[in-house]
Amino acid sequence: MKQTVKKILVAILISLLILGTFLFGFIQGSKWGWKANLPSPFEKIINKEPPKEIEAGDMSLFWDTWQVILDKYVGRDKLNTKEMIEGASSGLVQSLKDPYSEFFNASSSQSLTEELSGEFFGVGMEIDKRDGFLIVLTPLPNTPASRAGLMPFDKILQINDKDTSDLTPSEAAQLIRGPEGTEVKLLIYRSSWDKAKVFNIKRERIVVPSLKWQMLDNGIGYLRIYNFNQPLFNTFYQTALKISLNKPKGLIIDLRNNPGGYLEAVVDVGGWFLSKGEIILKEDLGNGEIKLHRSPGPGSLKDIKMVVLINEGTASASEILAGALRDNLNVKIIGTKSYGKGSVQELVALKDGNMVKITISRWLTPKGNVIENNGLEPDIEVKNEEELGAYLNLDLEKDAQLKKAVEVLGDELSN
């Protein structure tokens, strides 16, 4: 009996200990445990991922539109999936509202490659778009366009009776180009005319010249750079050696009606005129980062007295060179205000021969002057009374800008 009572008391004691331990833990947990479950300051923040540069988009709108076309479009039995995808890609780039960014399908990519390589079939002019109008940026020398009398800033209203208001420069270029010997009809308007005029121009094989070099009187050299295309890499090296051998006392660098070209080409050319390491341009990458492009050298032409000629057809890479020479060497710029294209485009190859030309940055002169939509103001403004175009033969009587350049350079050499 005593053993039984003893066992019961032990059991009760153990139970009380267990219950006491449980109650103690419960009380302590009630007192402190709820605090442990409070969110930390970081956990109180929603959307913890780094901010996105562009908000998320819902692609269902695109596919819903595609489905509507498949279900309801009257010509759905003739749909071309490849063309639809190319059109959508083109529209995506156009949504940037940047006149210099563009999608190229395989066909237009080939045309662009031919143009930059320096050879194609057409009428021989650089075109661009400004204020909603397709314009002649510059007619190339000794081409059907220049012989027909087309001028920088002529508006191209129609190509073969097709309205150009919705065309990109590349689309227009494809329409203007064609088999050798065939004609293209252009409706052109010039601000000095009362009404637009029709030009029927026969297409030719166009070999884009890179530059022209010759010695003038009084030991003055004349260098005209027509554009900064691919062949310039080789031709300028040879010309720079000729200039060094001729040892001109002064040099006129003519960049009038030069529409630009490769950034690498202008940096390479600038290297002959600037000491190694000097800044040729500053590139604004759009995220607060500024990239400096410096002269690669050799700078062997830097000690020659120079002046630069520009006009409204001077654009892009040619504005880079003019700005670099003025900012670094105090070279005087003569002529009229330049075009004002201060952005850099990169060609990105896509699958199946397609390509995107995308604006990746905007450039500044070495002193930080913005060229985009501003252009370069000349130090000495001179306008030509006659519209000379992209001529080949120099004429000091008709070309007031060139005449002024010779005068200014002559005065600098005499001092």
Side-chain angles (χ1 to χ4, degrees), residues 33-229:
W34 65 277
K35 293 183 180 179
N37 292 321
L38 273 179
S40 71
F42 179 76
E43 290 173 327
K44 291 178 183 177
I45 300 173
I46 62 173
N47 297 326
K48 291 175 284 187
E49 295 79 10
K52 305 297 182 185
E53 292 184 2
I54 185 170
E55 62 183 14
D58 186 353
M59 283 297 293
S60 64
L61 175 63
F62 173 82
W63 295 117
D64 289 346
T65 304
W66 186 291
Q67 191 62 54
V68 169
I69 294 172
L70 295 179
D71 293 342
K72 298 183 178 297
Y73 177 55
V74 66
R76 56 189 178 277
D77 57 325
K78 298 178 182 178
L79 291 175
N80 185 309
T81 302
K82 181 174 179 290
E83 290 179 357
M84 291 173 70
I85 293 172
E86 289 177 355
S89 300
S90 179
L92 180 61
V93 178
Q94 287 179 22
S95 72
L96 303 176
K97 295 181 174 59
D98 174 18
Y100 305 118
S101 293
E102 196 169 347
F103 172 83
F104 298 87
N105 61 20
S107 175
S108 55
S109 293
Q110 179 63 30
S111 298
L112 180 63
T113 302
E114 289 174 356
E115 180 178 339
L116 290 173
S117 69
E119 185 174 326
F120 57 91
F121 293 99
V123 300
M125 62 182 180
E126 299 281 351
I127 57 178
D128 205 343
K129 199 155 193 175
R130 175 161 283 197
D131 299 327
F133 288 97
L134 199 69
I135 66 166
V136 177
L137 184 54
T138 180
L140 302 177
N142 197 30
T143 61
S146 63
R147 291 194 296 269
L150 294 183
M151 298 295 302
F153 283 89
D154 282 349
K155 292 182 174 68
I156 307 171
L157 305 182
Q158 292 180 1
I159 303 172
N160 291 330
D161 298 322
K162 181 178 177 62
D163 183 80
T164 62
S165 56
D166 293 329
L167 294 180
T168 66
S170 297
E171 290 169 340
Q174 282 189 284
L175 292 175
I176 293 172
R177 292 175 186 173
E180 186 175 13
T182 60
E183 282 192 349
V184 59
K185 183 170 76 170
L186 304 176
L187 182 63
I188 302 293
Y189 176 75
R190 189 175 299 167
S191 59
S192 60
W193 295 346
D194 294 331
K195 61 179 181 179
K197 299 179 182 180
V198 173
F199 287 73
N200 291 295
I201 307 177
K202 186 175 290 187
R203 299 179 176 101
E204 294 181 4
R205 176 174 173 267
I206 305 299
V207 178
V208 183
S210 297
L211 55 80
K212 174 185 177 66
W213 150 256
Q214 68 183 74
M215 287 294 296
L216 305 179
D217 296 332
N218 303 321
I220 294 176
Y222 173 82
L223 172 67
R224 181 163 194 172
I225 303 176
Y226 292 111
N227 56 64
F228 290 88
N229 60 11

Side-chain angles (χ1 to χ4, degrees), residues 26-37:
F26 178 80
I27 292 169
Q28 293 301 314
S30 299
K31 187 183 297 184
W32 303 104
W34 65 277
K35 293 183 180 179
N37 292 321

Side-chain angles (χ1 to χ4, degrees), residues 104-397:
F104 298 87
N105 61 20
S107 175
S108 55
S109 293
Q110 179 63 30
S111 298
L112 180 63
T113 302
E114 289 174 356
E115 180 178 339
L116 290 173
S117 69
E119 185 174 326
F120 57 91
F121 293 99
V123 300
M125 62 182 180
E126 299 281 351
I127 57 178
D128 205 343
K129 199 155 193 175
R130 175 161 283 197
D131 299 327
F133 288 97
L134 199 69
I135 66 166
V136 177
L137 184 54
T138 180
L140 302 177
N142 197 30
T143 61
S146 63
R147 291 194 296 269
L150 294 183
M151 298 295 302
F153 283 89
D154 282 349
K155 292 182 174 68
I156 307 171
L157 305 182
Q158 292 180 1
I159 303 172
N160 291 330
D161 298 322
K162 181 178 177 62
D163 183 80
T164 62
S165 56
D166 293 329
L167 294 180
T168 66
S170 297
E171 290 169 340
Q174 282 189 284
L175 292 175
I176 293 172
R177 292 175 186 173
E180 186 175 13
T182 60
E183 282 192 349
V184 59
K185 183 170 76 170
L186 304 176
L187 182 63
I188 302 293
Y189 176 75
R190 189 175 299 167
S191 59
S192 60
W193 295 346
D194 294 331
K195 61 179 181 179
K197 299 179 182 180
V198 173
F199 287 73
N200 291 295
I201 307 177
K202 186 175 290 187
R203 299 179 176 101
E204 294 181 4
R205 176 174 173 267
I206 305 299
V207 178
V208 183
S210 297
L211 55 80
K212 174 185 177 66
W213 150 256
Q214 68 183 74
M215 287 294 296
L216 305 179
D217 296 332
N218 303 321
I220 294 176
Y222 173 82
L223 172 67
R224 181 163 194 172
I225 303 176
Y226 292 111
N227 56 64
F228 290 88
N229 60 11
Q230 209 167 41
L232 187 65
F233 285 97
N234 291 325
T235 55
F236 194 83
Y237 172 79
Q238 299 165 6
T239 301
L241 295 179
K242 291 178 183 177
I243 295 173
S244 296
L245 290 173
N246 278 273
K247 298 180 179 179
K249 297 176 182 177
L251 181 65
I252 297 170
I253 302 176
D254 193 345
L255 299 175
R256 293 175 296 177
N257 298 324
N258 182 324
Y262 287 111
L263 175 63
E264 293 84 356
V266 71
V267 171
D268 182 71
V269 170
W272 289 89
F273 296 103
L274 298 172
S275 298
K276 186 175 182 178
E278 287 191 287
I279 297 173
I280 292 179
L281 76 147
K282 295 178 179 179
E283 190 175 358
D284 182 354
L285 302 177
N287 57 358
E289 180 183 353
I290 300 293
K291 180 180 179 181
L292 302 182
H293 292 264
R294 297 182 180 275
S295 165
S300 50
L301 305 178
K302 64 183 176 63
D303 294 324
I304 303 175
K305 290 280 189 180
M306 290 176 275
V307 295
V308 175
L309 284 172
I310 66 169
N311 66 0
E312 63 275 6
T314 302
S316 191
S318 55
E319 291 174 291
I320 291 176
L321 182 59
L325 293 178
R326 177 159 66 181
D327 284 5
N328 285 289
L329 301 177
N330 295 316
V331 169
K332 283 188 171 61
I333 296 179
I334 301 169
T336 55
K337 183 179 177 180
S338 65
Y339 185 80
K341 181 183 181 296
S343 58
V344 179
Q345 284 71 43
E346 179 180 340
L347 290 172
V348 181
L350 305 175
K351 63 185 300 184
D352 299 328
N354 299 300
M355 187 181 295
V356 168
K357 183 176 72 171
I358 190 81
T359 297
I360 59 171
S361 60
R362 303 195 186 281
W363 61 266
L364 315 172
T365 70
K367 290 186 177 179
N369 296 316
V370 178
I371 298 304
E372 183 71 12
N373 297 322
N374 294 326
L376 291 172
E377 294 285 353
D379 298 297
I380 303 172
E381 184 174 10
V382 180
K383 296 180 180 179
N384 279 333
E385 296 298 326
E386 294 187 40
E387 297 175 330
L388 300 175
Y391 48 84
L392 283 177
N393 298 319
L394 304 182
D395 190 333
L396 289 176
E397 295 304 317

